[in-house]
């Protein structure tokens, strides 16, 4: 059974926004292995709109904080997670969120 992290969480030097968790990859070094989140179908815990609202409502949020997106999955790994990412970016732009955003991936960046 997966051990999901909070959708919004404060880490040492950034905020993490994890509306989708679980990764189909099986990287041997991945910290997600301990949580049962590798070789796992990505699970949507919050819609893009709800994730943006959760970020803005978080007591950890402030405009200068870097926000690491999808640290509990690889957002570019599947068409569904890529679509979630683009919709989240739109939702953040609609709410005029100006935080620096961080996205870590090992996947090729596709046209979509």
């Amino acid at each position: 059974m997966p051990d999901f992290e909070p959708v919004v969480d404060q880490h040492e030097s950034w905020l993490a926004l994890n509306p989708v968790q679980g990764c189909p990859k099986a990287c041997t070094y991945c910290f997600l292995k301990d949580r049962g989140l590798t070789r796992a179908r990505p699970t949507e815990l919050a819609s893009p709109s709800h994730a943006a609202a959760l970020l803005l409502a978080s007591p950890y949020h402030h405009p200068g904080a870097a926000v690491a997106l999808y640290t509990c999955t690889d957002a570019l790994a599947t068409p569904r997670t890529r679509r979630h990412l683009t919709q989240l970016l739109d939702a953040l732009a609609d709410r005029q969120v100006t935080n620096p955003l961080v996205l870590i991936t090992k996947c090729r960046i596709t046209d979509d």
Side-chain angles (χ1 to χ4, degrees):
M1 180 112 177
D3 180 18
F4 296 118
E5 292 202 9
V7 173
V8 180
D9 200 14
Q10 173 68 54
H11 288 248
E12 198 163 304
S13 58
W14 67 86
L15 290 173
L17 184 58
N18 285 302
V20 176
Q21 298 184 31
C23 185
K25 297 179 177 293
C27 302
T28 58
Y29 56 83
C30 187
F31 74 96
L32 295 176
K33 284 173 55 174
D34 294 341
R35 295 183 155 293
L37 292 172
T38 57
R39 294 184 189 212
R41 183 175 186 207
T43 300
E44 182 179 308
L45 302 179
S47 70
S49 179
H50 187 219
L54 288 171
L55 175 66
L56 292 172
S58 171
Y60 305 126
H61 179 263
H62 61 88
V67 179
L69 304 176
Y70 301 91
T71 63
C72 292
T73 191
D74 190 320
L76 300 182
T78 70
R80 195 168 62 96
T81 54
R82 287 192 302 272
R83 189 169 40 257
H84 197 283
L85 169 63
T86 57
Q87 291 172 353
L88 176 62
L89 293 173
D90 287 343
L92 293 172
D94 289 348
R95 289 169 175 79
Q96 300 178 345
V97 173
T98 59
N99 295 75
L101 302 177
V102 178
L103 181 66
I104 300 167
T105 185
K106 290 183 286 295
C107 295
R108 183 176 71 82
I109 298 174
T110 60
D111 291 338
D112 62 336

